[in-house]
Amino acid sequence: NAFFLETSGNGKFLNIRQACAVESLAFHNPNLTVNVLFMMDNTAIHSNGINSKVLPAETNIEKLREKYTNIEFITLNLDDYVAGTLLEKWYHCNDWRRGPYHVAHLSDGLRLLTLHKYGGYYFDLDIIFVRRVTYYHNFVSAEASNGLCNNAIHVDYGHPVIQLAVRDFPLHYRKEAWTHNGPDLLMRVMKTFCGEENLSKMYYITCRGFNVLPMLTFNSLHYSRWKDLFSQRPTNETRAPSWISKEIVGVHIWNKLSYNETAYKNSTQEYVRLVRDNCPVT
């Protein structure tokens, strides 16, 4: 199983970029069940069970459903989803909703809870996959030489790393800190699990079969270079971008920074090239 989470509560729809992330994973991994979980709180759920507002972006879901048998779209009630879990008290009693990053922090917690419940892969909705991911198991990915990222995770069901993580989240939660409850949490957990303080010493042996994948795997493009994805290339350049090496599994497009950037259909932008090669339906 693989999981994407849509936590905005705006309804059961995907925009173009999100649809591409989902499709590219399903496209390159036909034997993987790709679950898209729409997390809805009670304010967004009507008596019929879901927000019934019709949006044009819903057609993205219909197109993917018609083409791919390995994609599942599932709507969940958040109250039910956290009931009886380690996040239930945090969700109902903590003042996390008043924090400046409350939507991101909800996503930080729910990805850990989902992997704790089911095991498998979690990915952010702003990754375009360029090849199979199922070769990799039990991992987190590095974002820099001294830091982790929580945009791509795999754990076997019941793995102690995810057990440590889902306990750490409510225990050390800080609403005012952007990365404290996400990448920094993973670093705290890995230091404990691996018995190492230095990220460069966290690998398969020291971490008892758990892996820290190198930056190239999912975060080859540093966030400071996100604009490179939208720059026009010479029209006679038809090859794949030079930085797309065989070590790269997915390209993180940093949607928090790039969401307002225009992508031009049939252009030579690297983002458009990635979409064309890996998201045929989208």
Side-chain angles (χ1 to χ4, degrees), residues 176-276:
E176 77 287 350
W178 168 248
T179 60
H180 178 81
N181 315 293
D184 294 351
L185 180 153
L186 289 182
M187 181 63 82
R188 294 194 297 273
V189 166
M190 292 299 289
K191 286 180 178 180
T192 299
F193 183 74
C194 304
E196 290 286 351
E197 290 291 316
N198 192 327
L199 180 61
S200 65
K201 295 182 180 178
M202 296 179 189
Y203 58 97
Y204 186 83
I205 301 299
T206 58
C207 297
R208 293 175 278 165
F210 205 82
N211 292 288
V212 175
L213 299 182
M215 292 168 53
L216 275 177
T217 315
F218 292 103
N219 301 295
S220 56
L221 196 71
H222 191 263
Y223 74 87
S224 63
R225 293 179 51 215
W226 68 266
K227 288 188 176 181
D228 291 357
L229 289 168
F230 297 89
S231 61
Q232 295 280 0
R233 301 168 68 193
T235 54
N236 61 350
E237 257 189 63
T238 58
R239 295 173 300 170
S242 59
W243 51 271
I244 299 290
S245 65
K246 64 181 180 180
E247 291 83 11
I248 294 175
V249 174
V251 179
H252 188 195
I253 66 168
W254 303 103
N255 191 61
K256 181 175 173 60
L257 300 172
S258 68
Y259 70 97
N260 270 333
E261 195 73 13
T262 302
Y264 296 94
K265 188 177 181 179
N266 299 323
S267 73
T268 61
Q269 291 169 300
E270 294 192 350
Y271 172 76
V272 172
R273 195 180 300 260
L274 286 169
V275 172
R276 187 170 60 245

Side-chain angles (χ1 to χ4, degrees), residues 92-147:
H92 290 291
C93 303
N94 194 289
D95 64 347
W96 62 273
R97 290 178 178 85
R98 298 182 181 180
Y101 312 116
H102 63 282
V103 174
H105 288 171
L106 176 63
S107 178
D108 287 337
L110 288 177
R111 71 191 63 184
L112 301 177
L113 180 60
T114 299
L115 293 180
H116 182 256
K117 279 174 173 275
Y118 307 113
Y121 296 91
Y122 165 82
F123 298 111
D124 276 359
L125 279 164
D126 61 351
I127 297 175
I128 298 179
F129 297 85
V130 299
R131 56 178 49 88
R132 284 183 57 192
V133 72
T134 49
Y135 175 78
Y136 300 92
H137 289 83
N138 290 320
F139 67 79
V140 292
S141 59
E143 180 182 331
S145 59
N146 60 347

